[in-house]
Amino acid sequence: MSSSDSHRAPADPALRAETLAVHPPRVEVTGSTPLGVPLHQGHVFTFASADALAASMDSGDSFLYSRMGNPTVRTLEEAVARLEGGAVAISFASGMGAINAVLFGLLSGGGHVVAQRCLYGGTYAVLADLADRWGVEVSYVSGTDPDEVAAALRPTTRLLYLETVANPTTRVSDIPALAAVARAAGVPVAVDNTFASPLLCRPLALGADLVVHSATKYLSGHADVLGGVVVGDDPELLGRLRHFAVELGASTDPFAAWLTLRGMQTLALRMERHCASAAVLAARLADHPAVAAVRYPGLAGHPDEEIARRLLPDGAGGVVSLDLAGGREAGRTFVEAVRLASLSVSLGDVKTLVMHPASTSHRQLDAAALAAAGIGPGTVRLSVGIEHVEDLWADLDQALAKVL
Ligand SMILES: *Cc1c(COP(=O)(O)O)cnc(C)c1O
């Protein structure tokens, strides 16, 4: 029996129905190539010989067991690596899976991390947990001042952790300036690039060692899948993370990878529309009497306007924060009054989403704690979708009329 025959289902006519049911035929594609990405949903692969299986365990080159690697998941990893301009990517079941692989992969007890103050809530919670339970020390910095990073570094610092655009403040971190300080001290730099997507910003080219994504947001884009990816260039560093990723087990389901890849094919078109519409809406919102302030990195007067011009030349993303003059009650009324936009915690979707942190995700915080997180009582986060911009404006305008 040749080795390729051994991969085929047994075709022995003497086999009983019970056996045949368990061994459907395998149809191999020869002479043509599937245009779409094939979905390899199986979690385990079979080998022609014990030696071939043993060789696969040693080399890690072939597919063996999907927690360690799967062809559809590998396609996603290579696709994201290419977009970010990195050599290697590792895919995860969620953005938090990717973030935990970076934090647990690089930090250990007694280690120190310098992180941007306004972080994604889940990341902040993990850092707090690492500090409480594992003795990891955390210093928070603004994300825009290299001297502050230089002053925070210690001999035990193992990581500088930033986000390209922070939530919901839309502050833009000065990745090149901050990464240069950390790298000079031999400290790796990780950047959560979820808000920008690789279409708007490529942190590896700006001095970062690792880029993380919640692929749940812009990369997949259609509110139908959770995913996360880490990308980098250094094979030693990525090898350590892959080793930890296999232990962690937050592996990507092949169908989730397939959905993400399907979404990513229109990422460039979606980002173009997200950015163009967000810029139009940000400018109109800034002129509306019910709106006290608008925070959008592409809008004149944003505190990081100059950084955004350097780092996000192709568009400032699809997330706009606005502060309603009417405060907490106005925020609640507004997010319930929109009709086209949906009240949802996520972002980066083809559909426009709104969030009012003070009455939902941050409802336990008093005014002072809200202010410390960069959130006002009337702050609304708008994740601008790809609907027609005039339909979106009509919806926002009718909702704003209710809080004038
Ligand atoms: C949503 C999000 C995450 C977490 O990703 P999940 O896919 O929900 O686990 C991390 N960082 C940012 C900036 C996010 O928006």
Side-chain angles (χ1 to χ4, degrees):
M1 198 190 239
S2 78
S3 71
S4 78
D5 282 340
S6 74
H7 288 279
R8 295 189 179 283
D12 185 343
L15 290 172
R16 292 161 180 82
E18 289 84 346
T19 306
L20 290 173
V22 178
H23 295 273
R26 292 199 187 112
V27 176
E28 280 168 25
V29 179
T30 53
S32 63
T33 307
L35 186 58
V37 176
L39 172 56
H40 295 272
Q41 185 63 28
H43 82 282
V44 71
F45 298 80
T46 180
F47 291 80
S49 70
D51 281 350
L53 172 53
S56 166
M57 289 171 162
D58 284 341
S59 72
D61 274 353
S62 56
F63 297 105
L64 172 70
Y65 187 77
S66 284
R67 178 155 47 78
M68 299 155 189
N70 169 284
T72 308
V73 176
R74 184 66 53 83
T75 307
L76 171 62
E77 291 173 337
E78 291 184 4
V80 179
R82 273 206 230 169
L83 285 183
E84 283 290 357
V88 184
I90 310 170
S91 178
F92 293 86
S94 68
M96 286 311 299
I99 289 164
N100 274 301
V102 169
L103 296 180
F104 281 81
L106 299 187
L107 299 170
S108 45
H112 174 241
V113 54
V114 179
Q116 182 183 310
R117 191 167 290 115
C118 191
L119 284 175
Y120 177 71
T123 309
Y124 185 81
V126 176
L127 286 173
D129 223 25
L130 279 167
D132 279 356
R133 299 178 54 213
W134 306 101
V136 168
E137 296 186 280
V138 190
S139 303
Y140 289 101
V141 295
S142 68
T144 52
D145 180 2
D147 293 338
E148 204 186 353
V149 172
L153 291 175
R154 303 176 191 171
T156 52
T157 307
R158 297 285 170 266
L159 178 67
L160 170 64
Y161 190 94
L162 305 171
E163 294 181 1
T164 315
V165 181
N167 172 39
T169 59
T170 76
R171 294 299 301 256
V172 185
S173 61
D174 195 345
I175 298 168
L178 272 51
V181 172
R183 283 199 142 188
V187 171
V189 182
V191 177
D192 183 333
N193 197 31
T194 300
F195 271 52
S197 92
L199 265 292
L200 303 182
C201 182
R202 295 173 173 216
L204 296 177
L206 301 176
D209 298 275
L210 296 168
V211 175
V212 301
H213 277 283
S214 167
T216 312
K217 315 292 169 54
Y218 289 106
L219 289 182
S220 63
H222 296 75
D224 51 12
V225 66
L226 280 169
V229 186
V230 179
V231 191
D233 267 329
D234 176 356
E236 192 277 325
L237 185 60
L238 272 288
R240 266 201 283 158
L241 291 187
R242 191 177 284 283
H243 181 83
F244 182 72
V246 170
E247 290 179 354
L248 181 67
S251 323
T252 309
D253 178 80
F255 185 51
W258 189 88
L259 282 171
T260 306
L261 277 160
R262 178 168 153 131
M264 276 172 56
Q265 294 171 45
T266 55
L267 179 62
L269 290 172
R270 287 187 282 112
M271 291 316 294
E272 227 176 275
R273 175 68 73 90
H274 288 304
C275 291
S277 296
V280 168
L281 296 177
R284 290 189 193 173
L285 287 164
D287 277 343
H288 197 284
V291 178
V294 172
R295 291 178 273 181
Y296 180 64
L299 198 64
H302 186 278
D304 306 318
E305 193 182 346
E306 181 275 327
I307 302 174
R309 243 199 316 271
R310 267 192 289 126
L311 267 60
L312 305 167
D314 298 324
V319 176
V320 178
S321 261
L322 53 134
D323 291 311
L324 292 169
R328 200 178 284 253
E329 267 320 299
R332 175 197 288 274
T333 304
F334 177 82
V335 296
E336 290 177 353
V338 289
R339 296 178 191 141
L340 196 54
S342 308
L343 175 56
S344 297
V345 292
S346 197
L347 63 107
D349 195 72
V350 290
K351 296 178 177 66
T352 295
L353 310 177
V354 293
M355 253 303 269
H356 177 227
S359 67
T360 57
S361 56
H362 293 67
R363 66 191 176 282
Q364 272 90 10
L365 304 190
D366 61 20
L370 272 182
I375 299 166
T379 298
V380 168
R381 183 184 74 193
L382 186 63
S383 171
V384 178
I386 63 168
E387 302 95 335
H388 196 289
V389 68
E390 296 304 337
D391 289 337
L392 288 177
W393 176 246
D395 187 35
L396 299 180
D397 197 37
Q398 64 81 26
L400 287 170
K402 302 202 163 86
V403 296
L404 255 180

